[in-house]
C-alpha cells in the first residue's frame, strides 16, 4: 500500500485501499457513507446509462436509504473510488451466493462479485487509460486486499464496451445467463441477459 495525499473533501476519510498509479494519479477506495455521499451517487445512478442499477427516478433521500440498508448487510458493501481528490466511481462488492448472480453459476469458495459504475465522460471527451487504471486498483483491492480467489462480473450482454473492457483486463468469459427480475419497494432490477466473466487471482497477479 502506498501513502497518498489527496485534496478535500475526501482527504480526512480513511481509505480501505489506496494506490498511486504511474501516469494516472492517486486512487483511494473509501467505504461509502450513505448520507454524505448520497448526492454524488444519486447523480450517477440517475443517469440513463446507469439504468441497470435500478435506481432511475429515485430521490437523493431514497438513494441514501438504499445504501444505508446495504451498509447494514454483511454480504454486500459499497465503496467510493476517489482519484486525486475527486470521486470518479462507485464500486459494490457482494457475496455471490447472497445475490441473484449466484443463482446462475456454480459459486466457488473465495468468489466475490463486483459491480462498477464509472463517472460518465464529460464534455472533455474520452479518457484513455482511465478504466484500465481503475480496474487494476479494483482487482488489487478485492483479490489481494480482501484475499479473494476469483472475481465475477455480470455486464449486460448487449453492452459490448463493458464486456470488452473486462476481457481486455484479463477476465475470462463465462456463460451468458438470464438474471432474474428483482422488484423491491425502492429498487427494480429487470430481468437481464448478462455475460458472466471471471478473473482469478493467479491470472491478475501471477507469481
Amino acid at each position: 500500500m502506498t501513502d497518498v495525499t489527496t485534496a478535500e473533501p475526501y482527504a480526512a476519510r480513511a481509505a480501505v485501499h489506496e494506490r498511486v498509479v504511474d501516469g494516472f494519479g492517486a486512487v483511494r477506495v473509501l467505504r461509502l457513507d450513505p448520507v454524505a455521499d448520497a448526492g454524488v451517487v444519486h447523480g450517477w445512478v440517475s443517469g440513463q446509462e446507469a439504468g441497470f442499477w435500478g435506481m432511475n427516478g429515485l430521490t437523493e433521500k431514497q438513494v441514501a436509504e438504499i445504501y444505508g440498508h446495504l451498509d447494514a448487510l454483511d454480504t454486500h458493501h459499497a465503496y467510493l473510488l476517489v482519484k486525486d481528490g475527486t470521486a470518479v466511481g462507485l464500486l459494490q462488492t457482494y457475496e455471490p451466493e447472497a445475490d441473484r448472480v449466484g443463482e446462475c453459476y456454480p459459486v466457488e469458495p473465495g468468489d466475490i462479485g463486483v459491480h462498477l459504475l464509472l463517472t460518465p465522460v464529460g464534455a472533455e471527451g474520452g479518457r484513455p487509460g482511465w478504466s484500465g487504471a481503475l480496474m487494476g486498483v479494483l482487482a488489487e483491492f478485492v483479490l489481494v486486499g480482501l484475499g479473494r480467489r476469483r472475481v465475477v462480473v455480470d455486464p449486460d450482454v448487449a453492452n459490448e464496451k463493458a464486456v470488452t473492457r473486462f476481457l481486455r483486463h484479463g477476465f475470462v468469459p463465462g456463460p451468458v445467463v438470464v438474471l432474474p427480475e428483482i422488484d423491491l419497494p425502492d429498487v427494480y432490477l429487470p430481468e437481464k441477459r448478462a455475460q458472466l466473466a471471471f478473473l482469478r487471482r493467479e491470472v491478475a497477479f501471477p507469481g
Side-chain angles (χ1 to χ4, degrees):
M1 187 175 295
T2 305
D3 290 334
V4 294
T5 300
T6 57
E8 294 292 352
Y10 304 104
R13 290 168 57 176
V16 296
H17 188 75
E18 53 191 335
R19 181 174 180 80
V20 174
V21 181
D22 289 344
F24 181 71
V27 180
R28 307 177 75 223
V29 182
L30 311 180
R31 286 197 69 124
L32 188 80
D33 184 319
V35 176
D37 298 328
V40 66
V41 172
H42 176 256
W44 295 340
V45 300
S46 298
Q48 290 302 314
E49 66 278 5
F52 278 105
W53 286 68
M55 287 183 267
N56 281 169
L58 298 187
T59 66
E60 181 177 322
K61 182 174 183 291
Q62 288 173 313
V63 170
E65 290 172 349
I66 288 170
Y67 282 100
H69 171 70
L70 200 72
D71 193 47
L73 301 177
D74 293 330
T75 55
H76 293 66
H77 302 285
Y79 304 92
L80 204 64
L81 301 179
V82 176
K83 174 188 180 297
D84 296 329
T86 300
V88 295
L90 173 64
L91 168 67
Q92 289 183 202
T93 64
Y94 59 90
E95 303 297 335
E97 62 270 22
D99 190 275
R100 64 176 179 168
V101 175
E103 301 176 23
C104 301
Y105 84 100
V107 179
E108 295 183 5
D111 278 0
I112 186 170
V114 162
H115 298 304
L116 178 64
L117 178 64
L118 301 181
T119 54
V121 174
E124 71 278 8
R127 303 172 297 194
W130 267 61
S131 60
L134 292 171
M135 291 272 292
V137 176
L138 178 160
E140 185 181 69
F141 170 50
V142 297
L143 293 173
V144 179
L146 300 182
R148 296 306 185 99
R149 297 178 181 173
R150 188 172 68 157
V151 183
V152 56
V153 293
D154 62 323
D156 188 295
V157 72
N159 190 344
E160 295 181 4
K161 183 177 179 181
V163 173
T164 299
R165 178 190 303 152
F166 284 119
L167 300 186
R168 189 169 56 234
H169 198 75
F171 280 76
V172 175
V176 173
V177 300
V178 178
L179 302 181
E181 175 190 64
I182 292 180
D183 192 0
L184 301 174
D186 287 331
V187 177
Y188 174 70
L189 297 176
E191 182 180 277
K192 180 175 97 171
R193 291 187 72 237
Q195 171 66 69
L196 298 188
F198 302 90
L199 178 65
R200 291 189 179 277
R201 184 167 57 198
E202 60 267 29
V203 172
F205 303 99

